[in-house]
Amino acid sequence: MTRILGALLATALSVLVLVCMGFAGAYQYLAPEIPDAASLRDVKSQLPLRVYTRDGKLLAQIGEQRRIPVAFDEIPPVVIDAFLAAEDARFFTHPGVDWQSLVRALVANVSAGGVREGGGTITMQLARNTVLTSEKTLRRKLKEVFLAIRLEREFSKQEILTLYLNRIFLGQRAYGIGAASEVYIDKSVHDLTLAEAALIAGLPRSPSLDNPVASVERAHDRRAYVLRRMLELGKIDQAGVEQSTHRHQHQ
């Protein structure tokens, strides 16, 4: 028995060494193609032309992208909790890559015989959406992982989360939570209720299909998923879920 356990341990260590060597080799090979983390500070967000009435009310926005930048201290905790529950529950503890989620996604994809889950963290999504392409290849995924690690070294968690929440595409030409709050709820971010925050946090997976303009049913399904995840993580209680959804249904 001891001999078998020793052989298994030796095999596992050998596999681990090979994986680490392969990972290091891939990094050296792809390093020239990976942007500097600091380049994210230089990426210019396209702001639309805004037309206001004389009393200061927004009349129209002209441009392909709707953006309303929001500072970190302007984002209410309920919005942050909703996005982390939906996209990256371990955001504040992982180093940019959630290896547990990546392994789970790999197993799910192999079982499904295709790409069903990405296992990407918020940091990885920021890397992909800002300076990388969205092609589903191993090469792009590795570049995404390496850039995410660089981002975590260059920026604080608050900076990464602020960049992500201001740049993520949320459907209907809305980029960032500021624009999405205005487009879907007609409110500022700091006025969002729990149900409204959950609705917006459910959009990143498929923003063009899951938004309430394209499909109210899909948007409500995603909102329910986010609320369920927040409940599982202890961010809200059942009474809060029922109260928020009941209030939202009657608005």
Side-chain angles (χ1 to χ4, degrees):
M1 185 67 178
T2 302
R3 187 175 300 174
I4 294 175
L5 289 175
L8 289 174
L9 180 60
T11 301
L13 288 173
S14 298
V15 171
L16 180 61
V17 170
L18 287 174
V19 169
C20 291
M21 291 177 63
F23 199 71
Y27 178 79
Q28 291 298 323
Y29 177 72
L30 295 173
E33 302 177 21
I34 303 171
D36 291 333
S39 65
L40 265 73
R41 286 196 174 99
D42 299 326
V43 175
K44 299 184 183 299
S45 297
Q46 180 183 349
L47 294 175
L49 172 64
R50 298 175 189 168
V51 180
Y52 293 88
T53 61
R54 287 187 176 181
D55 55 356
K57 294 181 180 179
L58 182 63
L59 185 64
Q61 293 194 65
I62 302 171
E64 295 181 1
Q65 300 178 1
R66 296 168 173 165
R67 295 182 186 270
I68 302 176
V70 181
F72 182 81
D73 57 8
E74 296 176 319
I75 305 172
V78 68
V79 173
I80 293 175
D81 288 343
F83 270 88
L84 295 188
E87 297 295 317
D88 191 355
R90 287 184 286 272
F91 172 73
F92 282 105
T93 58
H94 64 62
V97 180
D98 190 338
W99 300 108
Q100 180 179 333
S101 295
L102 273 181
V103 171
R104 184 175 63 247
L106 177 62
V107 172
N109 292 336
V110 170
S111 301
V115 179
R116 296 293 181 86
E117 297 183 23
T121 63
I122 278 177
T123 314
M124 292 169 66
Q125 290 183 52
L126 177 63
R128 178 175 68 248
N129 295 336
T130 306
V131 293
L132 298 177
T133 66
S134 296
E135 59 180 327
K136 294 182 178 180
T137 64
L138 178 59
R139 183 188 190 93
R140 198 273 303 157
K141 194 68 175 180
L142 286 172
K143 289 164 65 175
E144 182 181 312
V145 167
F146 297 143
L147 180 54
I149 294 173
R150 285 189 182 182
L151 289 174
E152 292 277 345
R153 293 173 181 169
E154 181 75 21
F155 301 121
S156 69
K157 287 288 188 178
Q158 287 188 356
E159 287 178 310
I160 291 171
L161 189 56
T162 302
L163 284 169
Y164 171 81
L165 291 176
N166 276 297
R167 295 181 178 181
I168 185 70
F169 176 57
L170 296 171
Q172 297 297 311
R173 298 190 291 125
Y175 286 78
I177 55 174
S181 299
E182 183 180 274
V183 170
Y184 300 121
I185 316 295
D186 195 24
K187 285 184 177 181
S188 297
V189 171
H190 53 75
D191 292 327
L192 293 178
T193 65
L194 168 60
E196 291 164 349
L199 182 77
I200 293 174
L203 300 179
R205 183 193 68 167
S206 185
S208 297
L209 298 176
D210 290 340
N211 73 74
V213 175
S215 172
V216 172
E217 183 179 357
R218 288 176 65 106
H220 285 181
D221 287 344
R222 287 296 295 166
R223 181 188 65 188
Y225 166 75
V226 176
L227 291 172
R228 185 168 64 250
R229 285 290 295 141
M230 294 178 75
L231 182 63
E232 292 170 354
L233 295 169
K235 299 300 181 180
I236 54 175
D237 56 25
Q238 186 61 44
V241 173
E242 294 174 356
Q243 181 180 10
S244 64
T245 53
H246 177 78
R247 181 187 305 165
H248 191 72
Q249 287 170 353
H250 289 80
Q251 287 179 344

